[in-house]
Amino acid sequence: MRIAYLDCFSGISGDMFLGALLDAGLPAGVLEETVAALNLGARLEILRVVRSGISATKVDVWVGDEKDLPREQVSHEHTHNHSSAGVSPGSPARPNLARWGDSPAVVRASRPHTHRGLKEIREIISKTKVPPAGQARALGIFRALGEAEAKIHETNVEKIHFHEVGAVDAIVDIVCAAVGSLALGVDEWVCSPLNVGGGTVECMHGRFPVPSPATVELLRGAPVYSSGVDAELVTPTGAAIVKTLCTRFVPFPAMKIGATGYGAGSRDLPGQPNVVRLTIGEALETQPAASTEIPEDTIVVLEANLDDLNPQVFGYVMERLLAEGALEVFGTPVQMKKNRPGMLLTVLARSEDASRLARLVFGETTTLGIRMRQERRQTLVRRSVAVQTPWGEVRMKVANLNGTVANYAPEYEDCRRIADQHKIPLKQVMQEATRRYLEANSKDAGVIEKQIPRG
């Protein structure tokens, strides 16, 4: 099995990931053709640079004659200390060795970003000649970003308007990352623990702590740490790529190394090479024991018996609990004292949410007591893959067991929305979504997408 390992000892961003793909052997033409297919007036500049003694590939996106100074890896304290790619802050300017593309001309940080919603981005990508598997992966990355932002702002993902990631350069980064990662023909993407950095960063909404709220939400369930560097090392775009590609987070996996690539960040950092390393190889038959274990965590189970609650209220309470972060909510018919029929309300919650959800149950129901207990559970690694049907996008839920697909199913709400909108049978939408997923999967095993376990 061909695996790819992302070593994020200095974090990861969209442009760093593209640089690593090229440095590991991806032909530059694959990305250049993808940029041309987007028809957004952008082009790539691909340079050879050195970061703390390590030679790496640096990728920049140009729109016309302007290049954004990216938010990637820039703490608030260093907002005005950027240098051209390949030039260390405080050192004499030296020319870059360009491997592809033109030499730097004009760099402007003031070009305004366009705010685009998921619908607009979906339309841009769907109208291109990018292969369907690449479109699906790119939309999966954008949906991961949108879901993280929606949770932070307490709104619907379709109402989210991307700021930094709605700009042309970010769209190029994400679509190129999707197409390039598929072109490598990798069966499984694996990631190291991520160095997220520290300090603060200037965003559209103001000054945020590092890692940003979106990055924290995207990396839920992933191992992270900070080496103390005062910079944003993992950006939301980088986190979304990792979340969408990687199935597990482990130290360097057992493999026979075939290729290695280094993708450079925007500037040099004191004391560490500002690069992400991509290693590609054949997995050895003897894998570490941890790689075959099913992920396990601890949850809190809340239970309450209800025999005098209006059934309409019961349904409302279930919806409220799910909206407030419950992992699962269900009711079981029970026979209670004095032969009264009742319902057993069961709520599965994360430990940090249990008390808050218990207060909600007390406030919304007639119960006088709630039983609470901790339970261990094993969960398959779950992912979400966007597939295109004749009527619109449908998300497929995919579950992995030891790197192999164990279950897959179309997202019910997506299918129901399409069936209602187009007045077609629900089962027809579900069957077509499943067929499209299987068709794409048979063409390229790498189309299976989303990785970090969720509740």
mmCIF file of all heavy atoms in Angstrom, residues 187-217:
data_model
loop_
_atom_site.group_PDB
_atom_site.id
_atom_site.type_symbol
_atom_site.label_atom_id
_atom_site.label_comp_id
_atom_site.label_asym_id
_atom_site.label_seq_id
_atom_site.Cartn_x
_atom_site.Cartn_y
_atom_site.Cartn_z
ATOM 1 N N ASP A 187 -2.575 5.769 -1.459
ATOM 2 C CA ASP A 187 -3.702 5.021 -0.893
ATOM 3 C C ASP A 187 -4.122 5.552 0.472
ATOM 4 O O ASP A 187 -5.292 5.458 0.836
ATOM 5 C CB ASP A 187 -3.332 3.534 -0.764
ATOM 6 C CG ASP A 187 -3.050 2.901 -2.115
ATOM 7 O OD1 ASP A 187 -3.916 2.989 -2.990
ATOM 8 O OD2 ASP A 187 -1.953 2.333 -2.298
ATOM 9 N N GLU A 188 -3.177 6.076 1.243
ATOM 10 C CA GLU A 188 -3.507 6.587 2.573
ATOM 11 C C GLU A 188 -2.591 7.747 2.927
ATOM 12 O O GLU A 188 -1.383 7.691 2.703
ATOM 13 C CB GLU A 188 -3.376 5.497 3.640
ATOM 14 C CG GLU A 188 -3.803 5.974 5.029
ATOM 15 C CD GLU A 188 -3.560 4.957 6.135
ATOM 16 O OE1 GLU A 188 -2.758 4.033 5.918
ATOM 17 O OE2 GLU A 188 -4.169 5.101 7.210
ATOM 18 N N TRP A 189 -3.200 8.790 3.486
ATOM 19 C CA TRP A 189 -2.452 9.936 3.988
ATOM 20 C C TRP A 189 -2.391 9.843 5.509
ATOM 21 O O TRP A 189 -3.409 9.622 6.168
ATOM 22 C CB TRP A 189 -3.112 11.245 3.575
ATOM 23 C CG TRP A 189 -2.941 11.554 2.123
ATOM 24 C CD1 TRP A 189 -3.685 11.080 1.091
ATOM 25 C CD2 TRP A 189 -1.938 12.399 1.546
ATOM 26 N NE1 TRP A 189 -3.220 11.571 -0.101
ATOM 27 C CE2 TRP A 189 -2.157 12.383 0.134
ATOM 28 C CE3 TRP A 189 -0.902 13.164 2.055
ATOM 29 C CZ2 TRP A 189 -1.350 13.114 -0.745
ATOM 30 C CZ3 TRP A 189 -0.110 13.890 1.185
ATOM 31 C CH2 TRP A 189 -0.337 13.861 -0.199
ATOM 32 N N VAL A 190 -1.197 10.021 6.051
ATOM 33 C CA VAL A 190 -0.961 9.936 7.489
ATOM 34 C C VAL A 190 -0.275 11.220 7.926
ATOM 35 O O VAL A 190 0.467 11.836 7.149
ATOM 36 C CB VAL A 190 -0.095 8.714 7.838
ATOM 37 C CG1 VAL A 190 0.028 8.537 9.346
ATOM 38 C CG2 VAL A 190 -0.653 7.445 7.199
ATOM 39 N N CYS A 191 -0.514 11.648 9.157
ATOM 40 C CA CYS A 191 0.038 12.923 9.616
ATOM 41 C C CYS A 191 0.682 12.769 10.993
ATOM 42 O O CYS A 191 0.255 11.946 11.809
ATOM 43 C CB CYS A 191 -1.065 13.985 9.674
ATOM 44 S SG CYS A 191 -0.470 15.667 9.993
ATOM 45 N N SER A 192 1.684 13.581 11.246
ATOM 46 C CA SER A 192 2.324 13.660 12.555
ATOM 47 C C SER A 192 1.495 14.550 13.474
ATOM 48 O O SER A 192 0.564 15.226 13.021
ATOM 49 C CB SER A 192 3.722 14.266 12.411
ATOM 50 O OG SER A 192 3.617 15.655 12.092
ATOM 51 N N PRO A 193 1.799 14.587 14.781
ATOM 52 C CA PRO A 193 1.248 15.662 15.608
ATOM 53 C C PRO A 193 1.652 17.011 15.016
ATOM 54 O O PRO A 193 2.717 17.152 14.420
ATOM 55 C CB PRO A 193 1.911 15.422 16.975
ATOM 56 C CG PRO A 193 2.202 13.953 16.987
ATOM 57 C CD PRO A 193 2.588 13.619 15.568
ATOM 58 N N LEU A 194 0.799 18.021 15.171
ATOM 59 C CA LEU A 194 1.010 19.297 14.491
ATOM 60 C C LEU A 194 1.484 20.376 15.448
ATOM 61 O O LEU A 194 0.876 20.607 16.502
ATOM 62 C CB LEU A 194 -0.291 19.761 13.819
ATOM 63 C CG LEU A 194 -0.816 18.862 12.702
ATOM 64 C CD1 LEU A 194 -1.951 17.989 13.230
ATOM 65 C CD2 LEU A 194 -1.297 19.675 11.521
ATOM 66 N N ASN A 195 2.555 21.054 15.064
ATOM 67 C CA ASN A 195 3.063 22.207 15.799
ATOM 68 C C ASN A 195 2.259 23.428 15.363
ATOM 69 O O ASN A 195 2.379 23.887 14.226
ATOM 70 C CB ASN A 195 4.546 22.399 15.486
ATOM 71 C CG ASN A 195 5.180 23.516 16.295
ATOM 72 O OD1 ASN A 195 4.543 24.139 17.144
ATOM 73 N ND2 ASN A 195 6.447 23.780 16.044
ATOM 74 N N VAL A 196 1.417 23.949 16.251
ATOM 75 C CA VAL A 196 0.476 25.005 15.854
ATOM 76 C C VAL A 196 1.028 26.412 16.032
ATOM 77 O O VAL A 196 0.445 27.374 15.531
ATOM 78 C CB VAL A 196 -0.855 24.867 16.627
ATOM 79 C CG1 VAL A 196 -1.550 23.570 16.270
ATOM 80 C CG2 VAL A 196 -0.624 24.952 18.136
ATOM 81 N N GLY A 197 2.137 26.578 16.767
ATOM 82 C CA GLY A 197 2.685 27.905 16.966
ATOM 83 C C GLY A 197 2.057 28.624 18.149
ATOM 84 O O GLY A 197 1.456 28.004 19.032
ATOM 85 N N GLY A 198 2.159 29.956 18.167
ATOM 86 C CA GLY A 198 1.626 30.742 19.277
ATOM 87 C C GLY A 198 1.522 32.212 18.918
ATOM 88 O O GLY A 198 1.733 32.610 17.776
ATOM 89 N N GLY A 199 1.194 33.032 19.894
ATOM 90 C CA GLY A 199 1.045 34.466 19.666
ATOM 91 C C GLY A 199 -0.349 34.817 19.191
ATOM 92 O O GLY A 199 -1.333 34.172 19.553
ATOM 93 N N THR A 200 -0.443 35.827 18.344
ATOM 94 C CA THR A 200 -1.720 36.270 17.795
ATOM 95 C C THR A 200 -1.573 36.482 16.299
ATOM 96 O O THR A 200 -0.461 36.578 15.772
ATOM 97 C CB THR A 200 -2.207 37.575 18.449
ATOM 98 O OG1 THR A 200 -1.213 38.592 18.236
ATOM 99 C CG2 THR A 200 -2.458 37.392 19.929
ATOM 100 N N VAL A 201 -2.712 36.565 15.611
ATOM 101 C CA VAL A 201 -2.701 36.782 14.166
ATOM 102 C C VAL A 201 -3.842 37.724 13.816
ATOM 103 O O VAL A 201 -4.905 37.696 14.437
ATOM 104 C CB VAL A 201 -2.849 35.443 13.413
ATOM 105 C CG1 VAL A 201 -4.196 34.798 13.689
ATOM 106 C CG2 VAL A 201 -2.652 35.633 11.911
ATOM 107 N N GLU A 202 -3.600 38.592 12.822
ATOM 108 C CA GLU A 202 -4.634 39.515 12.355
ATOM 109 C C GLU A 202 -5.494 38.826 11.308
ATOM 110 O O GLU A 202 -4.989 38.360 10.283
ATOM 111 C CB GLU A 202 -3.998 40.769 11.753
ATOM 112 C CG GLU A 202 -3.429 41.727 12.776
ATOM 113 C CD GLU A 202 -4.501 42.440 13.589
ATOM 114 O OE1 GLU A 202 -5.684 42.352 13.223
ATOM 115 O OE2 GLU A 202 -4.148 43.092 14.586
ATOM 116 N N CYS A 203 -6.807 38.756 11.546
ATOM 117 C CA CYS A 203 -7.762 38.182 10.611
ATOM 118 C C CYS A 203 -8.775 39.257 10.215
ATOM 119 O O CYS A 203 -8.731 40.376 10.709
ATOM 120 C CB CYS A 203 -8.491 36.988 11.240
ATOM 121 S SG CYS A 203 -7.396 35.681 11.830
ATOM 122 N N MET A 204 -9.705 38.873 9.349
ATOM 123 C CA MET A 204 -10.734 39.808 8.917
ATOM 124 C C MET A 204 -11.551 40.333 10.091
ATOM 125 O O MET A 204 -11.991 41.469 10.102
ATOM 126 C CB MET A 204 -11.648 39.116 7.890
ATOM 127 C CG MET A 204 -12.672 40.030 7.269
ATOM 128 S SD MET A 204 -11.935 41.329 6.250
ATOM 129 C CE MET A 204 -11.203 40.342 4.939
ATOM 130 N N HIS A 205 -11.753 39.466 11.117
ATOM 131 C CA HIS A 205 -12.575 39.853 12.261
ATOM 132 C C HIS A 205 -11.770 40.510 13.386
ATOM 133 O O HIS A 205 -12.334 40.827 14.425
ATOM 134 C CB HIS A 205 -13.303 38.625 12.814
ATOM 135 C CG HIS A 205 -14.299 38.050 11.852
ATOM 136 N ND1 HIS A 205 -15.475 38.697 11.522
ATOM 137 C CD2 HIS A 205 -14.287 36.906 11.133
ATOM 138 C CE1 HIS A 205 -16.150 37.963 10.649
ATOM 139 N NE2 HIS A 205 -15.450 36.870 10.396
ATOM 140 N N GLY A 206 -10.452 40.671 13.198
ATOM 141 C CA GLY A 206 -9.639 41.288 14.233
ATOM 142 C C GLY A 206 -8.456 40.426 14.621
ATOM 143 O O GLY A 206 -8.043 39.525 13.876
ATOM 144 N N ARG A 207 -7.896 40.683 15.794
ATOM 145 C CA ARG A 207 -6.727 39.946 16.260
ATOM 146 C C ARG A 207 -7.187 38.718 17.041
ATOM 147 O O ARG A 207 -7.894 38.835 18.035
ATOM 148 C CB ARG A 207 -5.857 40.843 17.142
ATOM 149 C CG ARG A 207 -4.531 40.183 17.534
ATOM 150 C CD ARG A 207 -3.775 41.011 18.559
ATOM 151 N NE ARG A 207 -3.475 42.349 18.065
ATOM 152 C CZ ARG A 207 -2.752 43.227 18.745
ATOM 153 N NH1 ARG A 207 -2.281 42.906 19.945
ATOM 154 N NH2 ARG A 207 -2.527 44.424 18.256
ATOM 155 N N PHE A 208 -6.765 37.546 16.590
ATOM 156 C CA PHE A 208 -7.150 36.274 17.207
ATOM 157 C C PHE A 208 -5.926 35.592 17.804
ATOM 158 O O PHE A 208 -4.800 35.777 17.337
ATOM 159 C CB PHE A 208 -7.770 35.335 16.170
ATOM 160 C CG PHE A 208 -9.202 35.640 15.839
ATOM 161 C CD1 PHE A 208 -9.852 36.750 16.368
ATOM 162 C CD2 PHE A 208 -9.914 34.816 14.982
ATOM 163 C CE1 PHE A 208 -11.168 37.026 16.057
ATOM 164 C CE2 PHE A 208 -11.233 35.078 14.662
ATOM 165 C CZ PHE A 208 -11.855 36.183 15.200
ATOM 166 N N PRO A 209 -6.144 34.761 18.831
ATOM 167 C CA PRO A 209 -5.036 33.963 19.355
ATOM 168 C C PRO A 209 -4.661 32.857 18.373
ATOM 169 O O PRO A 209 -5.477 32.433 17.552
ATOM 170 C CB PRO A 209 -5.614 33.373 20.650
ATOM 171 C CG PRO A 209 -7.085 33.300 20.387
ATOM 172 C CD PRO A 209 -7.405 34.511 19.547
ATOM 173 N N VAL A 210 -3.431 32.407 18.453
ATOM 174 C CA VAL A 210 -2.939 31.289 17.644
ATOM 175 C C VAL A 210 -2.892 30.030 18.509
ATOM 176 O O VAL A 210 -2.347 30.078 19.612
ATOM 177 C CB VAL A 210 -1.537 31.607 17.073
ATOM 178 C CG1 VAL A 210 -0.935 30.389 16.391
ATOM 179 C CG2 VAL A 210 -1.617 32.785 16.097
ATOM 180 N N PRO A 211 -3.451 28.917 18.021
ATOM 181 C CA PRO A 211 -4.144 28.743 16.749
ATOM 182 C C PRO A 211 -5.503 29.439 16.754
ATOM 183 O O PRO A 211 -6.121 29.596 17.799
ATOM 184 C CB PRO A 211 -4.297 27.221 16.627
ATOM 185 C CG PRO A 211 -4.313 26.740 18.050
ATOM 186 C CD PRO A 211 -3.374 27.645 18.793
ATOM 187 N N SER A 212 -5.960 29.810 15.562
ATOM 188 C CA SER A 212 -7.223 30.527 15.440
ATOM 189 C C SER A 212 -8.392 29.607 15.796
ATOM 190 O O SER A 212 -8.262 28.382 15.781
ATOM 191 C CB SER A 212 -7.397 31.035 14.004
ATOM 192 O OG SER A 212 -7.639 29.947 13.126
ATOM 193 N N PRO A 213 -9.563 30.179 16.123
ATOM 194 C CA PRO A 213 -10.716 29.344 16.461
ATOM 195 C C PRO A 213 -11.067 28.325 15.372
ATOM 196 O O PRO A 213 -11.410 27.182 15.672
ATOM 197 C CB PRO A 213 -11.845 30.368 16.652
ATOM 198 C CG PRO A 213 -11.137 31.613 17.092
ATOM 199 C CD PRO A 213 -9.840 31.616 16.346
ATOM 200 N N ALA A 214 -10.984 28.729 14.097
ATOM 201 C CA ALA A 214 -11.304 27.792 13.013
ATOM 202 C C ALA A 214 -10.311 26.636 12.977
ATOM 203 O O ALA A 214 -10.690 25.476 12.774
ATOM 204 C CB ALA A 214 -11.311 28.529 11.675
ATOM 205 N N THR A 215 -9.025 26.948 13.187
ATOM 206 C CA THR A 215 -8.012 25.896 13.186
ATOM 207 C C THR A 215 -8.237 24.920 14.334
ATOM 208 O O THR A 215 -8.129 23.702 14.167
ATOM 209 C CB THR A 215 -6.611 26.523 13.284
ATOM 210 O OG1 THR A 215 -6.390 27.363 12.146
ATOM 211 C CG2 THR A 215 -5.534 25.454 13.325
ATOM 212 N N VAL A 216 -8.569 25.442 15.504
ATOM 213 C CA VAL A 216 -8.829 24.574 16.661
ATOM 214 C C VAL A 216 -9.997 23.643 16.376
ATOM 215 O O VAL A 216 -9.939 22.438 16.659
ATOM 216 C CB VAL A 216 -9.116 25.428 17.918
ATOM 217 C CG1 VAL A 216 -9.626 24.551 19.058
ATOM 218 C CG2 VAL A 216 -7.847 26.157 18.355
ATOM 219 N N GLU A 217 -11.054 24.175 15.791
ATOM 220 C CA GLU A 217 -12.226 23.350 15.490
ATOM 221 C C GLU A 217 -11.901 22.296 14.440
ATOM 222 O O GLU A 217 -12.312 21.135 14.555
ATOM 223 C CB GLU A 217 -13.373 24.238 14.999
ATOM 224 C CG GLU A 217 -14.657 23.489 14.713
ATOM 225 C CD GLU A 217 -15.219 22.788 15.926
ATOM 226 O OE1 GLU A 217 -15.071 23.306 17.059
ATOM 227 O OE2 GLU A 217 -15.794 21.693 15.757
#
